[in-house]
């Protein structure tokens, strides 16, 4: 284990580099499935720090393995490169009164930068951990990225435990919130609004389905939460046309596997009930995030407690445990202990007014270094 005072002084000495790196990467657009520019920036930067064997895989993950004294499965530390916004032009980053503003700057760019600096620290100190580490700057965490990046990592690498850096300081993920996302379409005969009046209307049929979904009973389980949402609807041709087509995007979420299954059954039952010869519904699964399936809860609890202690040691604050949907869903669904910890303070995530406190970046880096040190160094 590395001396913590020495480690924290190293973090403080890199404050200027940290902020400039954050501004540089936050300006690089990175919609899910289009993280190429960030991936190449990160790889080139790591190589300049002295990293060996850095690769960009087919999922656009930047992967840096770091050998240990012994062979065996890896402890993975990850942060995602994608943001929710579709921009492909340079993103504006501004700083005012100690606050940094940019779409995606907190989710997850600030955490991403801190993971890059943690990797630099490990490279510089030439410490040989007991077992190998895997630093991953992964793609496709957001939205319909569908956790593509972390799925690839879990297929190709032998992972024994996983810590994702996402969210804000003093929070730790204790369970995975699973979800299923559907594109639902409706097709009818349609026709002229006057001449064919009485023909089924796809918009009206879709509206009825949505109304009935919003009247459904939510499964109950003690200490667990289940939700649903229709996030988008479109259809029709003109004001004087009986709509032939309509479409919606629908999702349900739960941190309980049985509740998630019940939501699926209710959706399927309603779908079958409303489908008929004159009104044809079709459904397509466009996103799926699995729930937890950890076999050894003691190992998971140990990992969560270790990360929580490392956070509190730096910030002095009590860590809040929350069930959330993150990259950890995939390892947790495979029985691999995993948790997610934030390394900055900020707000308005998933909006164009997103911000982080510049003063929180160094404490965040210290927390990340402390976690890696306590678990592996």
């Amino acid at each position: 284990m590395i001396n913590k005072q020495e480690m924290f002084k190293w973090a403080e000495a890199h404050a200027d580099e940290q902020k400039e790196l954050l501004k540089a990467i936050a300006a690089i657009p990175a919609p899910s499935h289009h993280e190429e520019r960030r991936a190449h920036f990160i790889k080139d930067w790591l190589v300049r720090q002295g990293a060996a064997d850095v690769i960009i895989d087919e999922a656009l993950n930047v992967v840096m393995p770091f050998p240990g004294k012994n062979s065996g499965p890896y402890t993975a530390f990850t942060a995602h490169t994608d943001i929710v916004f579709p921009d492909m032009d340079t993103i504006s980053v501004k700083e005012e009164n100690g606050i940094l503003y940019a779409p995606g700057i907190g989710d997850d760019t600030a955490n991403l930068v801190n993971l890059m600096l943690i990797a630099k620290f490990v490279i510089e100190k030439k410490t040989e951990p007991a077992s190998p580490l895997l630093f991953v700057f992964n793609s496709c965490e957001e939205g319909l990225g569908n956790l593509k990046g972390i799925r690839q990592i879990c297929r190709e690498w032998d992972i024994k435990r996983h810590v994702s850096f996402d969210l804000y300081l003093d929070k730790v993920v204790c369970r995975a919130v699973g979800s299923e996302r559907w594109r639902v379409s409706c097709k009818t005969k349609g026709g002229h609004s006057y001449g064919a009046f009485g023909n089924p209307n796809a918009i009206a049929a879709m509206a009825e389905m949505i109304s009935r979904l919003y009247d459904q009973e939510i499964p109950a389980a003690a200490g667990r939460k289940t939700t649903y949402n229709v996030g988008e609807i479109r259809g029709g041709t003109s004001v004087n046309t009986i709509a032939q087509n309509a479409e919606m995007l629908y999702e349900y979420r739960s941190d309980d596997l049985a509740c998630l299954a019940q939501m699926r059954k209710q959706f399927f039952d309603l779908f079958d009930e409303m489908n008929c010869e004159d009104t044809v519904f079709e459904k397509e699964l466009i996103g799926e995030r699995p729930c937890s399936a950890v076999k050894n809860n003691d190992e998971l609890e140990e990992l969560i407690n270790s990360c929580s202690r490392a956070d509190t040691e730096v910030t002095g604050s009590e860590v809040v445990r929350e069930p959330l949907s993150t990259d950890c869903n995939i390892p947790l669904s495979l029985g691999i202990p995993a948790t997610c910890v934030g390394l900055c303070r900020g707000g308005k995530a998933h909006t164009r007014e997103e911000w982080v406190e510049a003063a929180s970046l160094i404490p965040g880096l210290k927390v990340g270094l402390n976690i890696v040190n306590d678990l592996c160094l």
Side-chain angles (χ1 to χ4, degrees):
M1 184 175 291
I2 293 173
N3 178 276
K4 294 196 176 187
Q5 292 307 311
E6 173 189 348
M7 184 172 66
F8 294 159
K9 285 181 180 179
W10 185 95
E12 291 165 3
H14 288 76
D16 290 342
E17 179 183 12
Q18 179 189 43
K19 187 188 289 189
E20 292 309 308
L21 191 58
L22 176 56
K23 289 179 178 179
I25 297 180
I28 301 172
S32 301
H33 304 289
H34 294 285
E35 303 93 341
E36 297 91 343
R37 288 175 58 188
R38 284 196 181 190
H40 286 290
F41 181 102
I42 293 165
K43 179 184 177 183
D44 292 345
W45 186 89
L46 289 170
V47 170
R48 290 199 303 272
Q49 311 314 309
D53 303 321
V54 184
I55 64 166
I56 298 175
D57 68 19
E58 64 183 24
L60 297 180
N61 298 313
V62 183
V63 186
M64 181 192 128
F66 194 86
K69 295 176 184 176
N70 305 305
S71 60
Y74 289 86
T75 297
F77 297 97
T78 71
H80 67 85
T81 58
D82 60 324
I83 64 175
V84 297
F85 300 95
D87 308 52
M88 292 302 292
D89 295 326
T90 299
I91 294 171
S92 174
V93 183
K94 65 178 181 178
E95 183 176 3
E96 293 179 356
N97 301 318
I99 303 294
L100 291 160
Y101 297 88
I105 197 164
D107 185 13
D108 191 34
T109 313
N111 293 292
L112 176 73
V113 165
N114 276 335
L115 182 58
M116 292 170 67
L117 288 168
I118 292 167
K120 176 175 180 170
F121 176 82
V122 172
I123 293 166
E124 284 188 3
K125 295 304 176 182
K126 297 182 171 59
T127 300
E128 191 175 23
S131 59
L133 312 182
L134 194 68
F135 293 97
V136 181
F137 309 87
N138 64 278
S139 66
C140 287
E141 190 275 343
E142 298 287 5
L144 295 181
N146 203 32
L147 306 182
K148 175 184 175 181
I150 213 66
R151 290 177 194 271
Q152 179 91 3
I153 293 300
C154 288
R155 280 195 302 268
E156 294 193 346
W157 298 85
D158 186 9
I159 308 295
K160 69 176 181 180
R161 57 187 173 183
H162 175 197
V163 177
S164 172
F165 294 121
D166 202 346
L167 316 171
Y168 301 129
L169 281 163
D170 307 326
K171 295 184 184 295
V172 62
V173 170
C174 59
R175 288 192 306 278
V177 175
S179 64
E180 293 178 355
R181 293 158 175 177
W182 297 88
R183 178 180 288 112
V184 181
S185 61
C186 177
K187 186 173 183 179
T188 63
K189 185 177 181 181
H192 191 281
S193 61
Y194 188 82
F197 183 73
N199 281 359
N201 184 308
I203 291 176
M206 189 67 77
E208 181 184 353
M209 175 174 278
I210 292 170
S211 178
R212 293 180 65 176
L213 285 171
Y214 272 72
D215 285 338
Q216 71 183 308
E217 183 178 350
I218 298 177
R224 301 302 172 97
K225 182 178 179 180
T226 301
T227 66
Y228 57 84
N229 184 59
V230 174
E232 184 177 315
I233 182 168
R234 63 181 68 183
T237 303
S238 69
V239 70
N240 59 337
T241 301
I242 298 170
Q244 287 184 288
N245 298 283
E247 181 179 287
M248 72 167 176
L249 298 183
Y250 171 63
E251 73 156 21
Y252 41 85
R253 299 184 179 213
S254 182
D255 57 345
D256 182 86
L257 191 61
C259 291
L260 196 68
Q262 179 62 29
M263 291 297 290
R264 183 188 309 117
K265 182 180 186 304
Q266 290 174 189
F267 171 54
F268 280 24
D269 287 350
L270 176 60
F271 185 89
D272 291 342
E273 182 181 336
M274 292 192 63
N275 224 331
C276 63
E277 184 177 350
D278 292 333
T279 306
V280 178
F281 285 93
E282 294 183 349
K283 62 183 183 294
E284 176 190 3
L285 183 65
I286 57 174
E288 181 180 13
R289 296 188 174 207
C291 286
S292 301
V294 173
K295 300 171 184 176
N296 190 329
N297 284 321
D298 290 340
E299 289 182 357
L300 176 58
E301 189 68 14
E302 181 181 349
L303 178 62
I304 292 172
N305 287 338
S306 180
C307 291
S308 299
R309 286 193 301 268
D311 186 304
T312 299
E313 185 177 353
V314 173
T315 67
S317 301
E318 184 177 350
V319 175
V320 177
R321 295 186 176 203
E322 292 184 346
L324 288 171
S325 177
T326 67
D327 278 318
C328 294
N329 284 46
I330 299 304
L332 285 170
S333 74
L334 298 172
I336 300 169
T339 190
C340 182
V341 182
L343 303 181
C344 66
R345 298 193 194 281
K348 292 197 172 183
H350 289 206
T351 74
R352 292 191 176 273
E353 296 76 40
E354 189 171 357
W355 57 273
V356 296
E357 293 179 4
S360 73
L361 299 175
I362 289 300
L365 177 56
K366 289 180 179 179
V367 168
L369 285 166
N370 213 20
I371 288 171
V372 175
N373 192 40
D374 287 354
L375 289 176
C376 303
L377 302 183

